[in-house]
């Protein structure tokens, strides 16, 4: 949503709406476009220069908007981070969204291959949500990168919050706000009864989202519980990432084998 | 930060000693450059660009390639031509990086140290030292490395022909 808003506000996106064959495979998950590029993993020495050898100079992209994932922001050279707009969804919605996206990807691939390939064992989405948000917010504070946080819900509920961010960026607030369309929401609702997330973590994640949704500071009590949860969940997160890396290689090998047949 | 990159065995330490002797603040603890894996450091302290303004830091060629341009005020390449083409690989990589990223660049040689103009470029006014050149192997160099060295020592341009020769020698040395 933010990429469409920023584009309308006068910041040309870096990255295509539908890279590769995303329109056919997962286009339904985001009909207006994803606007993702290699820079989603950060703008730094491993992604810039581009594969053709072209270097994207920071001075030439000051008025461009680029979508970067939370870990990518941490990797990004500060020379490129003039300002950061942070958006956040409730963890429960993120979990649903990931499940839907992965299912669409998998179904499309199976359809193309004409047979089923065992899907990748991705990092559990709730762990991803927690560590991505914690890392992002911590990094922006540590490096004192100018930023604003507007949750997805707040943006839809209070367009004025979006307008303020666009003005802070120096863009056309009216044009940007006109792009806000609530009907784009594909995932709504709270935790499902069969969620794998323990109840105390659901409360914690909901609270982390709520303070940002309401524009409140993170108090000492919440900060302490977040630190404790980080310590508790980090081994599981690291192990899940290791499993995902291994399984992605297995998956790529499985697909390649079927393509060769 | 003024990143000093040495091409050749004695280059980096010669340059740091020379610049330190000239009164410039020097750091030797940032060889891997400044990017997400090195900054913040293990103690959690994040170095800001303004903390390193005007400071001379020894950086490896790989470290330079990885360093956030927000920290790179200037890059100084120091050449110590040696037998073999290993030093040319560093020269190639540094020149490729600074030209691609448009970084302010200067070069000197440890065997023909021409320091005129270096002090003002570093923001230090007239440079107070005239260091003795180190023993040289330049006369034993092939014409191409000798010409590249001469260009670096005098801050002359590498023309297209010399640039192509540098790329070819560096590629061959890498293999």
């Amino acid at each position: 949503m933010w990429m469409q808003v920023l584009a309308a506000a006068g910041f040309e996106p870096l990255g295509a709406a539908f890279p590769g064959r995303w329109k056919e495979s997962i286009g339904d998950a985001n009909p207006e476009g994803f606007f993702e590029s290699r820079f989603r993993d950060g703008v730094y020495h491993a992604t810039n220069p581009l594969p053709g050898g072209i270097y994207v100079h920071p001075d030439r992209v000051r008025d461009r908007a680029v979508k970067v994932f939370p870990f990518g922001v941490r990797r990004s050279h500060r020379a490129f981070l003039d300002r950061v707009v942070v958006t956040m969804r409730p963890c429960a919605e993120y979990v649903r969204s990931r499940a839907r996206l992965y299912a669409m990807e998998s179904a499309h691939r199976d359809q193309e291959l004409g047979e089923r390939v065992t899907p990748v064992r991705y990092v559990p989405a709730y762990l991803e949500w927690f560590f991505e948000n914690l890392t992002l917010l911590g990094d922006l504070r540590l490096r004192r990168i100018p930023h604003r946080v507007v949750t997805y819900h707040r943006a839809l509920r209070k367009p004025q919050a979006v307008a303020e961010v666009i003005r802070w960026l120096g863009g056309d607030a009216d044009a940007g706000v006109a792009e806000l369309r609530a009907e784009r929401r594909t995932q709504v609702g709270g935790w499902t009864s069969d969620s794998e997330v323990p109840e105390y973590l659901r409360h914690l994640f909901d609270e982390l989202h709520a303070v940002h949704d309401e524009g409140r500071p993170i108090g000492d009590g919440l900060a302490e519980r977040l630190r404790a949860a980080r310590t508790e969940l980090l081994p599981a997160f690291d192990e899940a990432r290791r499993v995902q890396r291994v399984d992605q290689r297995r998956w790529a090998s499985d697909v390649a084998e079927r393509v060769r047949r | 930060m003024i990143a000093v990159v040495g091409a050749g065995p004695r280059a980096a330490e010669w340059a740091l000693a020379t610049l330190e002797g000239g009164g410039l603040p020097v750091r030797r603890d940032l060889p891997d450059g400044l990017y997400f894996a090195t900054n913040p450091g293990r103690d959690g302290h994040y170095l800001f660009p303004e903390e390193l303004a005007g400071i001379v830091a020894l950086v490896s060629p790989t470290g330079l390639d990885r360093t956030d341009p927000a920290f790179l005020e200037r890059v100084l390449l120091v050449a110590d031509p040696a037998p073999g083409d290993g030093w040319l690989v560093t020269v190639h990589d540094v020149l490729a990086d600074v030209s691609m990223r448009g970084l302010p660049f200067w070069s000197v040689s440890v065997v023909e140290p021409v320091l005129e103009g270096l002090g003002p470029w570093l923001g230090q006014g007239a440079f107070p030292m005239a260091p003795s050149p180190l023993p040289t192997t330049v006369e034993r160099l092939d014409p191409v490395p000798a010409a590249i060295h001469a260009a670096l020592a005098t801050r002359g341009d590498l023309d297209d022909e010399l640039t192509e020769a540098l790329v070819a020698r560096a590629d061959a040395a890498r293999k």
Side-chain angles (χ1 to χ4, degrees), chain B residues 28-116:
Chain B
R28 293 176 167 81
D29 59 343
L30 304 171
D32 297 326
L34 288 163
Y35 66 112
F36 73 91
T38 61
N39 192 25
R42 287 182 183 170
D43 60 359
H45 178 69
Y46 180 76
L47 285 167
F48 287 89
E50 51 269 30
E51 288 180 72
L52 296 169
I55 289 178
V56 174
L58 172 65
V59 180
S60 71
T62 305
L64 177 68
D65 176 70
R66 292 175 177 171
T67 293
D68 185 336
F71 291 87
L72 293 170
E73 296 170 89
R74 299 173 178 87
V75 177
L76 175 63
L77 173 66
V78 187
D80 180 16
D85 285 352
W87 72 282
L88 288 177
V89 173
T90 300
V91 169
H92 169 270
D93 291 352
V94 172
L95 290 180
D97 188 21
V98 298
S99 63
M100 182 179 71
R101 294 203 276 172
L103 300 169
F105 173 76
W106 195 282
S107 59
V108 294
S109 161
V110 302
V111 296
E112 294 174 19
V114 180
L115 300 184
E116 192 178 352

Side-chain angles (χ1 to χ4, degrees), chain A residues 44-45 48-49 53-55 57-58 74-80 139 141-145, chain B residues 34-37 39-40 44-46 48-50 65-71 100-102:
Chain A
Y44 68 118
H45 59 270
N48 192 20
I54 295 172
Y55 178 71
H57 195 283
R74 182 176 167 269
R75 284 190 284 261
S76 289
H77 288 159
R78 66 180 303 125
F80 292 88
D139 177 63
R141 266 200 302 273
L142 178 69
R143 294 202 283 165
R144 296 182 206 148
I145 305 289
Chain B
L34 288 163
Y35 66 112
F36 73 91
N39 192 25
H45 178 69
Y46 180 76
F48 287 89
E50 51 269 30
D65 176 70
R66 292 175 177 171
T67 293
D68 185 336
F71 291 87
M100 182 179 71
R101 294 203 276 172

Side-chain angles (χ1 to χ4, degrees), chain A residues 203-217:
Chain A
H203 290 313
L204 180 65
F205 297 164
D206 287 346
E207 198 173 340
L208 176 60
H209 176 266
V211 295
H212 289 99
D213 188 58
E214 295 158 16
R216 290 185 280 124

